[in-house]
Each structure stands twice: as C-alpha cells, then as structure tokens.
Amino acid sequence: GAVVSQHPSWVICKSGTSVKIECRSLDFQATTMFWYRQFPKQSLMLMATSNEGSKATYEQGVEKDKFLINHASLTLSTLTVTSAHPEDSSFYICSARSLKGLIYEQYFGPGTRLTVT
Amino acid sequence: LAKTTQPISMDSYEGQEVNITCSHNNIATNDYITWYQQFPSQGPRFIIQGYKTKVTNEVASLFIPADRKSSTLSLPRVSLSDTAVYYCLVSGAGSYQLTFGKGTKLSVIP
C-alpha cells in the first residue's frame, strides 16, 4: 500500500514556542491531506483538510491561527503549532488519500507525539 | 456523513476467528466501508474496504449484506499481535473526510 511518513515522530517543546510537523506521501502524489489529533484513550478527531496550492479547511472549533497548515507540494503538508501550550500536548496524525480505481483509499502516517512543558 | 456504531470492546482467545460488526444505518448509495486497525501510539493502518457483498484480502474478510446497513470484519485465527483498536468508517466520493467513531478494542488472550 501507499506510504505516508511524518517527522518528527516525537517532540518536546516549551510553552510559548512553535513546532512544525511534516507529513509526506512517499510513493504517490496527494492533492489532499488530512490532519488529526488524538488524546489518550480517545478516537481520532479531524482537525483540518489540507489542499495543495490552496488554503486549508478547518473543522469547527480548531483555531486556524494556532494550527497553521501549508500544503506546498503534492507530497508534503506541514502543520505548525504556534505558541504551544500544555493543552496542545497530543498525538498528531496526518493522512493522505490515493485514488485506487474509482475510489479513494486513505493512508495514515505513524503520528507525532507532541509534549509541551 | 453516515454515523457508525461498534461494540466498545471484545475479547478473544488466540487462534479463534473474530467477527466485529459495525452498523451504519444511514449509509448513502455512493458510500463505501473501510476498516482500520490502530496500535497504541501509531497511526491507523488500512485493513480492508468494500462496497457490497464480500471482500477478502490476505489479512481479513469484509461481509456486507444487501441492505448495506451493517458490515462485519472477520479476522481469521487471531494472534496476540492482533490486539488493537479497530475502526469502521463510512465515506463516499463526495464526502472523503473520514470521521472516526470510538472503535472496538479487541483484546486477544493467550
């Protein structure tokens, strides 16, 4: 299947600093990527849809000025958590969709564990 | 987006076949069903996807009745390494966003 990578796999930062997470589709091009957040023992929550060459679409309740998304190429989307606070500590997962025949399959990255101290 | 309902948890012994059923009463005509597996601190892994009847791959089978209001993921002869959370999702060409429910936590017992 298609492979999606994320970097870094984990990061610790101080409160008030910004952190950038990269999501790459390694063997396919993805015009659309998605960013999710997952808190311990909870399900994945969609944060935003990242579209190559255009602005991201954010889900209700997600601050677009705090979670900056850039989808500069067909294989790379980045999520920047600005002025991070301890409540932003979470597991961030990206996904990218690949067209297989007439339907799309979505493949997920391994996730990035963010800890804000 | 069609809402899905799954059992919160299931236990099974090693070597048994496990069937996890998901209900999706409001599935639309152009929606298809996808199952993912997630281990702790990892991203979800694609297992199988289908639209109707039966789909089989090297790791699982997916059974979808004619009315498509439910689906059953079948894992043959589970092992300890199959302990994970399994998510059933419904999406279509026009609604490609995936909305995750609570999933089913499968615990395989030796």
Side-chain angles (χ1 to χ4, degrees), chain B residues 42-98:
Chain B
Q42 293 187 27
R45 183 176 77 99
F46 175 91
I47 301 175
I48 198 166
Q49 182 172 256
Y51 182 80
K52 62 180 180 180
T53 62
K54 177 184 176 182
V55 180
T56 298
N57 61 22
E58 61 275 10
V59 298
S61 295
L62 177 60
F63 299 92
I64 306 169
D67 66 5
R68 303 200 327 121
K69 293 183 182 299
S70 66
S71 60
T72 299
L73 173 71
S74 181
L75 304 173
R77 296 185 299 280
V78 294
S79 64
L80 296 177
S81 62
D82 293 317
T83 294
V85 178
Y86 292 81
Y87 293 99
C88 158
L89 294 102
V90 172
S91 63
S95 59
Y96 51 74
Q97 291 178 336
L98 296 180

Side-chain angles (χ1 to χ4, degrees), chain B residues 24-47:
Chain B
H24 27 78
N25 293 317
N26 296 323
I27 189 168
T29 302
N30 62 348
D31 284 343
Y32 45 92
I33 300 144
T34 311
W35 285 80
Y36 288 86
Q37 175 193 56
Q38 187 183 28
F39 297 112
S41 297
Q42 293 187 27
R45 183 176 77 99
F46 175 91
I47 301 175

Side-chain angles (χ1 to χ4, degrees), chain A residues 12-81:
Chain A
I12 302 173
C13 71
K14 291 186 177 181
S15 185
T17 61
S18 296
V19 173
K20 179 184 285 188
I21 302 171
E22 293 185 349
C23 176
R24 294 181 184 272
S25 56
L26 297 185
D27 50 2
F28 66 101
Q29 294 183 331
T31 55
T32 304
M33 293 183 175
F34 304 90
W35 287 96
Y36 294 82
R37 181 166 53 180
Q38 186 175 33
F39 292 106
K41 300 189 183 301
Q42 294 187 22
S43 186
L44 285 79
M45 292 179 56
L46 179 65
M47 297 175 66
T49 301
S50 171
N51 300 298
E52 187 268 336
S54 65
K55 293 182 178 180
T57 303
Y58 291 82
E59 295 299 300
Q60 190 173 9
V62 178
E63 301 175 56
K64 62 179 180 180
D65 294 331
K66 181 172 184 60
F67 299 99
L68 301 179
I69 291 173
N70 184 275
H71 195 152
S73 76
L74 290 173
T75 59
L76 174 64
S77 175
T78 60
L79 169 68
T80 301
V81 182

